[in-house]
Structure formats: structure tokens, C-alpha cells
Amino acid sequence: MRKVMQKGFYLLDHNTYNSDRMDNCYVYVRLRMCCTSVSILSELGASRQRTRTTSGRGVCGEKSDYFSAPGGCGVSEDGREQPEWLVHELLKQNKRRHSVTLGDKAQISPQQHQQSIDSASSLKLDEEISAENLQKLKQAFEEFDTGGLSSIDVKKFGCIVKKCLGLPSTSNAAIHGLFKKIDYSGQGRISWGEFCTYTLQQYKEKEESSRRSKKVAFTLPATMNTYAHGVPVINIHPIHSDSVITVREDGFVCHWSPELKPQRTKHLFNDSPANRKSRWASDFTLMTEYNKLMIGTGDREIQLYELSTLEPYCQITALETIPLALDYSYTSPDKCCVLYGDSEGCVTIILISYVGDTLRVWNKLPKVENMPTITADNAVLCPNVTLVRWKVHHDWVTQAKYFHSLQAVVSSSNEESSALVIGCVLPLTDAEQQLDEIREVCYEGKTKKIQLSWTPQVRASCDQTVFTACKGVKTFDLCQKHSLLVTGGMDRLIRLWNPCFSGKPTGILKGHCAPIASLHVSSEDSQIFSVSVDCTVKIWHILDQCCLFTADSKASRIHGDICACSYSPVLKSLYVAADCMAVLPLKLSPQIHSRLAISHNEPVTCCGFSEEFRQVVSCTEGSVVRVWDFDTGQQLFEFGGSHDLSPFTCMEIDPKGRRLLTGGRDGSLKIWNFNSGHCLKTLKRDGECNEVCGCIFLKVHWNLFVVSVGRGRRIDIYTDIPEDLHHIQKPQPLWQDKLTNGHKEDILCVAQCPPSLLATGSCDGEIIVWNVISGQIQCRFASPPAAERQNVEGLDTSVPCLIFMKNSNLQQFSSATALLSSGAKGCVNLWDVLDGGKFVSSFKASKFRHKIIKLAKTDKSALLYTADRIGYIYVYNVEMFATEKTRLKAEAFWRAHTSTVTGLQVVDNDQVVLTSSTDCTVRLWSVQGQFIGTFGQPECWSVHIAASWMHPSVPFEVLIDPLSMPDHETLNVKTHLSETNHPDRSDPGRGKLKTLR
């Protein structure tokens, strides 16, 4: 079956598309032929962009060429070495605190230099690809198909890209880099279906990442207060930055704290004489500039009260109609506009100049029922007051507002033909008429007042813009940032309008299942808050026109008839009046100090390095995966974070460096193409599944396997065949020894020693070494060793990490192979796994006796890196461990994080250490502990130029953390450590301890 491209939709050829490989991916690419494009092949052309990049500080993707130069002096475009003074100036523009050192040039080998250039060439540059070019790509793939294979190699792929996309100058390195990202299995060929899968998945994940960045939610359930409930609240208004005010229909006023605690209350209408008939309030607003509370009543009055004391100030009586929808706006210095809509569809506008003086004059008038009073007719006769009454609608006015940015009055009603009307304030539309008015004002020497009778006037068609909507408009608001009017009503739709064009709405938001009762816009955040009569609250994004959050009445616990609603942009809270007062505060991300840099918004659970792409991959508790550029520290890609994904607990990158293996709390493993976010396989056993604590790729002979351990006390082994298209895969049968003699407690970690050994450690301190070929137990150990078992109560004997170390200088171990494990009280235990296995010795690896959580080693030496629960990294040379009585001396130690280290890896070729932690950061260090940077920080770095590192500074949160202070009680505890941890007591002949903080 063949699908075609029509009206901007390009569909894939079914013969080249496999649904299993796509895994819930989109089945089509949406492309708009003229103005819209999909950002694919973004890596291509980046090297061409770099040649146009000028020196100096720029965006991270446009870093100056000196950062990839082989020496501290940099290299110019023509390959010549740049003078040292120029590099110093470039560093100064990048706000670095120190210059290039003489050692920088010697630190970088030609291989490392080439790796940096290859990494830089994969920097992203969005290339717009039209549907026509995509069609050319597909035809080119088909033309290159040979021998019945529907795939092409990298050479043909490069020809296609350069020809079909018009990128002849694209470097071969960039094309090869993109090819490897698509060819995740390393077969050396890709098909049209794989190309489309990569393209679609990247586009999808970029959209999802954009949505996650705008993610917003209320704290549920809502905070409630039933104080003085029973009578409907007519409106809610925020006051300043610390409270809100509500008025009920019976005139009861209440000031509320942000947490909905009543601060001050008063019953306004109870102060009137006892024989006075009962009043009811129709609406209220605030005159913030004059500290007044304005209330409209059912007796056709507008009353003003002191906002701070709620004492009566003055009132305007004998209005023509009841002010159902009341509004106030400060138009210019000492000028304001008061307007209200009524049941006759009219909007009455009262313009007042010299507001302070006018109100003071009214305050001195005779009192009627203990309030200074002026009738509407007398108020209009005042020289500083202008009144105009417009006939706008043929039904009740549901809302009326004056928007200063529009210089117009907006009103709404439930009538379809005039659902929303934007109209002028005064009827001055003719230029000649305006000139006549100006001349008359100049001639009379005083302000001319437009005085109209109470008879409503009809605006000229050019003085107003009328919008029609099905079933009218109940509520509206203006987004001033994007100049959009947002309306909602009985038809359950939210419409976005261009105020200057009344034809069709620019957007329609669907999602509510009941009529919309209230709308509020947060222009600053480009968000719409909507509440429907069934008490469902939604948050929408204006630009994306999508729903970001929904809370029904069951989740929010708001019930009853919605009578008032208001959003406070200062308090970031939505206040709703129904059966009782309720507040829904937004979940706010913690404010990050300007000196702090984080890599994720959630705790990081693991990280790893891909030598193939020179990328760092990190995973979080929020099931989000981020891919970072190793050479600059900038984010390249992000995926995951969906609700159906379980939090990640562990990860491993395959031996080829192209695929990512993750383990989750739901007991499943997933294999990803981490450059596109495509889930290739799900590995899961039948029945009950427990949290995965550790996972690795295991190579036995020429076969590759995936091994996982976890809370279920099982070792699951899966065959790993990248070409296998089955999305769901089950484990192999369990080893017989595992069934009968395996672990009795949860398994926390797993490590391999090629070609045939596998070690696992459990919560009870037991370590088992397996022969993966025979499935038999090679040996088993109990931790702590017998010599340390006198006082094991209360000790943490679990084994969270294991590592095999091979070194020819480890003569005390059989075959020079040692197994190292985390022990109690900050110790590291050493075991000989051959000849039946035996305990060799242990040493204190944590200066402060905290549990060692991670172990890592170098490939070219016997250096061991350890990390503890409070974020310290220690470096030991295991070759110095010659006899059982020898105590290791730490080569260096430093504090890398403020909480538990969750990832530790040594990158030998670049002589750096990669770490991650639950403090939401992923960091890079030199092997001596010099701070290179935090992934995601604003400044870019170059791994091979020390002048671009953050060193000599340290992470700010580490610097200010109490545990980093030498006088903290935890640090002052007597640890009874060896000389390793007391350099002042150590033998002078053994050298000084390098302490880097």
C-alpha cells in the first residue's frame, strides 16, 4: 500500500515502514508547503556555520573556533596558529577569570583534537526542508537501492544529502555523524524507513521537550475555607501583593491572606438605619490609586468606601439602571474611567478628571443614611465629569472592561450577534468634528464637556468592532503581550480573537465539558486560566494553543456553583468562590541562585559517556533523558518525561556507544536510540516485576546480552540482537544455581569481568561471583569480613557497588584480578575471586566514614575513584596496596556534590571524571579534581583548554554547604581513620595529600 503526499502531509511508503520499529511514533510528517518546515538533519551544515562564526562570546552553539584549537594559542580559519594576545582577548570576552597556561598546548593530542572537531561539527543548525526536498530524498533512496536491499551506506547517504538538500559544502564528518545516529545498530547501512523514524522521533521529542519546559500545575487539592459561606460572592480582587478581597451579595466584605485566612471583615450594609430596606450588591471593583472600594448595588447606586478602613466615603445614587458589571480604570494622571453594564444591554461610561479633588468635594456633601450622597444627574453636571451611555447589546451585559492598551471599552453578552463588542469611549470619529471641538475649547478658554442625556446612543459602525460567537460570551480577558482577546461562554469553547479583526477567531481551544464561567489571562506567562461551571479548572498556553493542566472537581475538591473567580499574578494563585472559598496555588520551581547551575529539574539517578558521539547521557527520577555535548557542556537533545514512563534507576551505554539501556522502578528495561528518543525495545519478564537496581551489557564470546538485577532477587538475562524487530522481549531461563543457591535479599549491583565472570551484591552484604558460561557459582563472600563482624548490629552492610580491577602489578591477587566492593563505615573491601575466592583486605575510603556509593577505575592505570553519600570523590592508587598491612593513601579528594553521587565514570582518553548526583547536577572534573563545569551552565567550556574551565572556582552550592565547612560536627567526628585521612600525621616521605575543594 502506498501513501502519497497531499496538502502538506507527506506519508511514508508502507513497504519501507515497520510499525514495531517506530514504536508509537507518528505515522506521518506534517509539513506546510510554504511557510512551515520541519527541523531535520539539524546536525548537517554545522561546520559550515562555524566558518562564519566570528571570535568572541556568542551563543553556545556558535562558540569561537579557538575552543577546538589544538593548543592554548588557538588556530585561525586558514590553519595558522593565532597569537597568544588574541587568545587572551577572546578568553576575556568570554568572561574567563584566568588566561591560557603554558601546559594547555601539551595536554592535547592530535587524536583528541580531531575528536573535538568532530564533536563540534555535529552542533545543531536548523535547516528548513520542504515537502519537495523530502520527496527528492525518498526518490533518491529508491534509486540507490541495489541487490534487493532497501538500504544505503554512508557514502551514498552523503551524496543524497548534498544533492537533494542543496548542502554541497556540508562536511563528511557531519554527514557521517548523522549517519551513525540513524544507524544505531552499527550495520553500516540505513533504510528510508529508518531515516524517517529518526526524523519523526526527533521532531516529536522536540515538541514534547518544548511542552515540558512550559509545564505548569496547581497544588492539589485546593486550600479551602468555609468561613461566612452561604451567600454568593459577587467578585474577587487581589490587593497589593499580600491579600485578596471578596464581597458577598449581602455586602459582607472580607480580606483574605494568601492562604485563605480571614484578616479583616465588615458587613457594609448592616451599618445603615434599621428601617432601611435591605440592599444587595451586584458587583464591585477597586480604585487602587485612590485607596477606594467601589460597589454597585441593586438600588441603582455606586458606593465608595475607604479600602483600608471600609468606612463610607460617598455614593452616586439614582442611576438609570442597576450596574450589573462594574469596572474602573486609571486612564492618565488624576483621570479615570468608571463604567458599568446593565440589564438593557447598555454600557454607561463616566469619565472623571481631577479625581482626587472631585471625590473630596463629594465627600463633603450632605449625608443620606450616613453616607455623603450625590445624584447621578448632579454628578454629570460637575465640570470634571463626563457621562456617555451606549446601546451596545440586546441582552444583559455579562462583563464590561476598559483596556488602556486598546483605548477602548470591551463588553459582552449572551446574544450571538453582538457577543463581544469593542467600542470607543466618546463619539468623536470625524476629524472635522474633532477640530471643531478643539476650536471651541480654545475660544471658550475652558474644557468643553460632552453632556448627553440618559437616552442610550448607538455607536457608528466605524466606532466599534462586533464579534459574533455561538451562544454569546459569558467572560473575556485581554492578553496584552500578544494583543489577543480571549472569550468563553455557553458553548464550552475558548476563542482567541485579534481585536482588529472580527471575522474568525485566530484560535479555538477545546476541552471543557461544561459552559465556561470565568477566564483570566496571565500575559507574563502566556497562559489562560479557565473555570467551567462543573468546577473543572484548566491552564492553557496561548502560543501553542494547547492545554497544559486540568483539574476536575474530584481532584481540586471544589464543588458547587461557581460565582466568582480571580487570578493573582503576584501570588501565582487562582481564587475560586463556590460553596466555599478556595485557592489553587501554582507549583513553582524553586528560585535558583544566580550563581547556581543545574542540569535537570529533578534528581539525577545515573549518567554515562558515549565515546562514539562524545556525548554525555543523564537520566532523572522524572524519567527525563538529556543528551549533552561532552566538549562544551551544552544540551543537545531531550526525551522521555511522559506519564507512561517509570522513573529511571540505572543506565548503561552499549559497547558501540550508540544505544542506551535504562532500568526503571516498574521492573522493565528499555533500549533507546538516545539521539532520537526512539524506544527500540522493552525488556520485561512476565508476572510481578520489581525495581531494577542495576543493568549492564554482557559480551560472551561473540554474543551480546543484557543483564539486570533488582529488588526481586533475580538475575534476568536477555539476548541483545539489534536487528531483532520484536519490540517486547522476555528473559532467558534462570540459571539452576540462581534458583537454588542465589541471593536471599534484593540485589543492588552487578559487575562483569571478561570473558566469563559476573559479580552481584545484595542488601545483606552477600557477594556472589558467577561463571556466565556455565551458570554456576564461582565463589561467594559475606560482607563485612569475619574479622569485622563483632558489632554488625546497626551497620549498613549492603553492597551498592562492585568493580573488577585487572592490573599486572596486583601480584597478591590470582591472575592479577581483584574484586572491589563497598563495605561498612566507608570501607572498600578487596577480594580474590579465583582459586575458590578469599578476602584480601579492606581500607577506609571515605574520610568521614560515609557509605561508598560508586566505584570507578581507569583503564590505563590502577587508579580507583570512589564516591560517598555526601558528595566526596576520593582517588586511590591500588598498586600501592602491596600487602595486607599496607594502608592506602588518597592521591586526592574533593567534594563534587552536596548530596549522594549517583554516577561516576573516568574518561581515560580525555583525562576527566564524569559525576552526577541527586542534587540535580551532572559535572565534569579533571582527574586531579579541578572543576571543569556543570552540564547546562551558561558558559561553554573546552575539555582540552584549561583556561575555559571553571577552575579555580568550585560549585557555589558546594562552597556554601554546611558539610563543606571544617567546623561542622559531622566533619569533626573522630573517625579512627588511617594515615590516609590524616595527612598531618603521615610519613613525610610519602608526600602530601592533594586536597581540592
Side-chain angles (χ1 to χ4, degrees):
M1 180 181 67
R2 186 177 182 83
K3 304 181 181 180
V4 297
M5 180 181 67
Q6 186 177 12
K7 296 183 179 179
F9 290 85
Y10 189 85
L11 304 182
L12 305 181
D13 191 325
H14 186 71
N15 294 324
T16 61
Y17 166 76
N18 186 287
S19 59
D20 289 331
R21 295 176 70 97
M22 288 290 291
D23 176 38
N24 299 332
C25 190
Y26 294 130
V27 189
Y28 59 86
V29 183
R30 183 176 180 175
L31 297 169
R32 294 182 183 175
M33 300 290 291
C34 299
C35 59
T36 306
S37 64
V38 179
S39 298
I40 64 176
L41 302 184
S42 58
E43 296 84 356
L44 300 177
S47 57
R48 179 183 57 183
Q49 173 71 9
R50 289 176 56 84
T51 61
R52 296 196 299 264
T53 304
T54 58
S55 62
R57 183 176 178 85
V59 297
C60 298
E62 299 175 344
K63 197 162 181 67
S64 304
D65 282 344
Y66 75 90
F67 270 125
S68 59
C73 295
V75 175
S76 61
E77 292 184 4
D78 56 4
R80 291 178 299 178
E81 193 173 87
Q82 295 178 350
E84 188 172 351
W85 66 265
L86 177 58
V87 178
H88 279 254
E89 185 62 29
L90 294 176
L91 290 171
K92 190 182 300 182
Q93 293 178 16
N94 275 270
K95 301 181 180 179
R96 296 301 180 190
R97 291 170 295 282
H98 55 288
S99 61
V100 179
T101 61
L102 295 177
D104 287 340
K105 183 179 296 186
Q107 292 175 358
I108 307 174
S109 65
Q111 179 185 3
Q112 293 171 337
H113 173 47
Q114 184 60 42
Q115 289 174 340
S116 297
I117 294 177
D118 291 345
S119 174
S121 67
S122 64
L123 294 176
K124 295 183 178 180
L125 174 69
D126 289 337
E127 293 287 346
E128 295 188 353
I129 300 186
S130 64
E132 182 181 357
N133 285 340
L134 202 58
Q135 178 68 42
K136 291 180 180 179
L137 279 172
K138 184 177 185 299
Q139 293 175 353
F141 265 87
E142 294 174 347
E143 291 174 0
F144 274 111
D145 289 347
T146 58
L149 298 175
S150 57
S151 59
I152 60 174
D153 57 19
V154 64
K155 184 177 181 181
K156 296 176 181 177
F157 179 70
C159 296
I160 289 176
V161 168
K162 293 182 179 182
K163 179 180 178 181
C164 298
L165 301 183
L167 300 173
S169 60
T170 303
S171 68
N172 292 331
I175 294 176
H176 193 205
L178 176 61
F179 184 88
K180 289 189 295 183
K181 292 178 181 179
I182 301 173
D183 179 27
Y184 59 84
S185 61
Q187 294 179 332
R189 304 183 69 86
I190 63 173
S191 66
W192 170 246
E194 290 172 330
F195 174 81
C196 289
T197 299
Y198 175 84
T199 300
L200 292 169
Q201 193 66 34
Q202 265 220 338
Y203 183 67
K204 174 188 172 184
E205 293 300 338
K206 286 178 181 178
E207 281 190 327
E208 291 298 325
S209 176
S210 176
R211 288 188 181 183
R212 277 195 298 272
S213 66
K214 300 164 187 172
K215 186 178 180 180
V216 65
F218 286 120
T219 301
L220 297 176
T223 302
M224 305 284 193
N225 194 312
T226 58
Y227 176 77
H229 70 287
V231 180
V233 174
I234 59 173
N235 213 335
I236 307 171
H237 282 284
I239 303 178
H240 308 300
S241 60
D242 57 351
S243 63
V244 295
I245 185 172
T246 61
V247 177
R248 297 189 322 196
E249 284 186 357
D250 59 358
F252 182 81
V253 180
C254 183
H255 285 257
W256 304 85
S257 70
E259 299 80 20
L260 279 190
K261 295 180 179 179
Q263 294 178 323
R264 185 171 68 255
T265 61
K266 187 175 183 179
H267 210 307
L268 301 180
F269 298 161
N270 280 354
D271 294 337
S272 57
N275 59 354
R276 169 75 188 267
K277 64 180 181 178
S278 61
R279 274 196 188 96
W280 60 275
S282 58
D283 197 5
F284 87 95
T285 188
L286 301 178
M287 301 179 68
T288 308
E289 292 79 10
Y290 302 98
N291 195 38
K292 298 293 185 291
L293 170 68
M294 181 185 296
I295 296 180
T297 73
D299 292 335
R300 296 181 296 150
E301 301 165 335
I302 295 178
Q303 296 184 340
L304 273 67
Y305 295 84
E306 289 287 355
L307 186 57
S308 54
T309 63
L310 298 179
E311 292 297 322
Y313 192 81
C314 65
Q315 66 178 347
I316 303 174
T317 62
L319 299 175
E320 187 69 16
T321 53
I322 297 174
L324 297 179
L326 187 64
D327 188 48
Y328 157 86
S329 179
Y330 186 74
T331 56
S332 60
D334 212 16
K335 292 183 179 181
C336 74
C337 172
V338 178
L339 62 121
Y340 63 88
D342 56 34
S343 59
E344 297 179 2
C346 297
V347 177
T348 302
I349 304 170
I350 304 174
L351 302 176
I352 306 175
S353 56
Y354 304 106
V355 181
D357 294 340
T358 302
L359 295 183
R360 281 190 287 271
V361 170
W362 291 353
N363 179 249
K364 299 182 183 300
L365 295 176
K367 295 183 179 181
V368 177
E369 298 175 353
N370 199 32
M371 180 174 283
T373 303
I374 184 172
T375 64
D377 291 336
N378 290 332
V380 172
L381 294 176
C382 295
N384 299 328
V385 178
T386 300
L387 181 141
V388 59
R389 189 164 183 244
W390 297 111
K391 177 64 175 177
V392 183
H393 307 279
H394 300 286
D395 199 355
W396 287 22
V397 176
T398 57
Q399 190 176 354
K401 280 187 177 182
Y402 174 84
F403 292 112
H404 190 268
S405 60
L406 300 179
Q407 294 287 303
V409 172
V410 182
S411 58
S412 62
S413 75
N414 289 324
E415 179 202 8
E416 292 189 14
S417 60
S418 59
L420 187 76
V421 177
I422 304 176
C424 64
V425 177
L426 298 176
L428 293 178
T429 61
D430 184 76
E432 289 295 330
Q433 183 180 356
Q434 294 183 31
L435 290 174
D436 291 341
E437 293 290 340
I438 294 173
R439 293 190 191 100
E440 190 171 350
V441 168
C442 295
Y443 178 76
E444 294 179 359
K446 62 181 180 180
T447 302
K448 170 146 178 87
K449 177 169 66 70
I450 302 175
Q451 181 175 329
L452 302 175
S453 66
W454 286 102
T455 304
Q457 306 294 311
V458 178
R459 291 192 185 102
S461 59
C462 54
D463 282 344
Q464 66 180 12
T465 305
V466 181
F467 301 81
T468 61
C470 179
K471 299 182 181 180
V473 171
K474 165 69 176 175
T475 177
F476 65 86
D477 202 357
L478 175 69
C479 177
Q480 299 185 5
K481 180 179 179 180
H482 304 292
S483 188
L484 286 173
L485 272 169
V486 184
T487 64
M490 295 294 293
D491 64 350
R492 302 168 295 176
L493 300 179
I494 298 176
R495 294 178 173 86
L496 280 62
W497 305 87
N498 183 339
C500 302
F501 179 69
S502 61
K504 291 184 178 180
T506 59
I508 298 178
L509 308 180
K510 301 178 182 179
H512 279 288
C513 300
I516 297 168
S518 183
L519 279 177
H520 294 275
V521 171
S522 173
S523 294
E524 177 185 355
D525 302 316
S526 298
Q527 293 170 355
I528 303 170
F529 301 88
S530 61
V531 183
S532 57
V533 297
D534 62 353
C535 300
T536 298
V537 181
K538 287 182 178 287
I539 306 176
W540 311 80
H541 196 272
I542 293 178
L543 296 181
D544 292 346
Q545 297 186 12
C546 64
C547 183
L548 302 177
F549 177 81
T550 299
D552 57 17
S553 59
K554 185 177 181 180
S556 66
R557 299 182 186 174
I558 300 175
H559 301 282
D561 296 332
I562 302 293
C563 50
C565 181
S566 179
Y567 175 74
S568 171
V570 177
L571 300 176
K572 300 290 184 181
S573 298
L574 183 70
Y575 292 85
V576 181
D579 280 354
C580 58
M581 278 294 295
V583 59
L584 288 165
L586 286 175
K587 289 182 179 179
L588 301 178
S589 301
Q591 294 294 325
I592 300 175
H593 192 280
S594 59
R595 295 186 181 181
L596 299 182
I598 62 172
S599 308
H600 287 270
N601 297 321
E602 310 95 5
V604 182
T605 56
C606 45
C607 69
F609 171 68
S610 168
E611 184 73 34
E612 180 74 7
F613 297 112
R614 292 189 64 79
Q615 294 173 347
V616 170
V617 182
S618 56
C619 306
T620 72
E621 287 184 355
S623 66
V624 173
V625 179
R626 285 183 177 172
V627 182
W628 310 88
D629 184 2
F630 175 78
D631 291 292
T632 64
Q634 301 307 299
Q635 182 177 333
L636 300 176
F637 189 57
E638 175 184 321
F639 64 92
S642 59
H643 296 294
D644 59 336
L645 277 179
S646 175
F648 297 129
T649 55
C650 55
M651 61 159 280
E652 183 86 358
I653 294 177
D654 77 339
K656 292 183 178 179
R658 301 191 185 188
R659 295 178 300 152
L660 171 69
L661 171 67
T662 61
R665 286 184 184 164
D666 62 353
S668 68
L669 296 102
K670 293 182 182 293
I671 300 179
W672 310 79
N673 179 351
F674 58 84
N675 280 295
S676 67
H678 181 201
C679 182
L680 307 171
K681 285 184 184 179
T682 297
L683 314 179
K684 192 173 185 179
R685 66 173 181 266
D686 295 325
E688 182 182 0
C689 295
N690 302 97
E691 176 181 331
V692 178
C693 297
C695 59
I696 60 170
F697 284 96
L698 177 66
K699 190 173 184 179
V700 181
H701 301 310
W702 297 104
N703 301 317
L704 199 62
F705 300 88
V706 170
V707 180
S708 70
V709 298
R711 299 291 180 186
R713 305 187 295 276
R714 290 172 51 117
I715 301 175
D716 290 322
I717 301 179
Y718 305 82
T719 57
D720 179 37
I721 304 175
E723 298 79 16
D724 185 1
L725 300 181
H726 292 87
H727 186 70
I728 305 295
Q729 189 172 329
K730 306 298 181 185
Q732 292 184 338
L734 293 175
W735 295 329
Q736 187 61 35
D737 256 12
K738 175 66 185 73
L739 292 172
T740 57
N741 302 317
H743 287 280
K744 302 300 186 292
E745 294 293 336
D746 296 337
I747 307 175
L748 300 182
C749 58
V750 59
Q752 64 169 318
C753 178
S756 60
L757 295 184
L758 185 76
T760 55
S762 62
C763 287
D764 58 358
E766 184 180 39
I767 300 172
I768 300 179
V769 180
W770 308 80
N771 186 315
V772 296
I773 297 177
S774 65
Q776 302 297 313
I777 294 178
Q778 175 95 4
C779 55
R780 64 196 313 157
F781 312 107
S783 178
E788 300 180 6
R789 291 184 187 174
Q790 295 87 355
N791 300 311
V792 295
E793 289 189 14
L795 278 182
D796 182 3
T797 60
S798 63
V799 184
C801 54
L802 293 165
I803 192 170
F804 282 97
M805 180 171 282
K806 284 187 174 183
N807 192 280
S808 58
N809 294 324
L810 299 176
Q811 300 297 334
Q812 67 272 33
F813 298 92
S814 304
S815 301
T817 300
L819 174 64
L820 289 80
S821 68
S822 172
K825 296 182 179 180
C827 289
V828 171
N829 299 324
L830 287 82
W831 314 85
D832 189 343
V833 297
L834 299 181
D835 298 332
K838 65 177 181 178
F839 170 72
V840 177
S841 187
S842 68
F843 65 93
K844 301 290 185 182
S846 173
K847 179 178 180 180
F848 310 113
R849 305 185 70 179
H850 284 276
K851 189 78 174 180
I852 297 299
I853 301 299
K854 291 293 178 181
L855 296 170
K857 64 181 177 67
T858 58
D859 295 331
K860 301 177 181 179
S861 62
L863 288 181
L864 175 71
Y865 287 76
T866 67
D868 65 16
R869 280 180 174 162
I870 59 173
Y872 275 89
I873 308 293
Y874 302 87
V875 187
Y876 295 95
N877 189 343
V878 183
E879 287 183 352
M880 303 296 296
F881 197 81
T883 66
E884 187 173 334
K885 297 181 179 179
T886 303
R887 294 179 176 178
L888 282 183
K889 172 183 174 60
E891 300 289 323
F893 76 91
W894 69 92
R895 195 171 189 198
H897 299 276
T898 56
S899 60
T900 302
V901 175
T902 57
L904 179 65
Q905 183 176 348
V906 181
V907 183
D908 276 306
N909 289 339
D910 298 277
Q911 290 293 287
V912 296
V913 179
L914 175 67
T915 64
S916 66
S917 168
T918 53
D919 63 5
C920 305
T921 60
V922 183
R923 293 191 171 120
L924 201 62
W925 311 81
S926 72
V927 289
Q928 294 84 21
Q930 296 172 324
F931 181 37
I932 297 177
T934 299
F935 287 91
Q937 69 182 27
E939 302 89 358
C940 298
W941 69 65
S942 178
V943 171
H944 303 301
I945 296 184
S948 67
W949 299 354
M950 299 301 292
H951 179 77
S953 71
V954 297
F956 182 71
E957 59 270 38
V958 172
L959 183 66
I960 64 175
D961 189 80
L963 285 177
S964 301
M965 306 302 172
D967 59 346
H968 194 277
E969 59 182 6
T970 302
L971 304 185
N972 289 335
V973 66
K974 293 184 179 180
T975 60
H976 305 291
L977 294 179
S978 64
E979 295 176 2
T980 296
N981 301 315
H982 300 281
D984 52 333
R985 305 177 191 173
S986 59
D987 184 1
R990 295 176 64 184
K992 295 183 179 179
L993 177 69
K994 300 176 184 177
T995 304
L996 302 172
R997 295 189 183 181

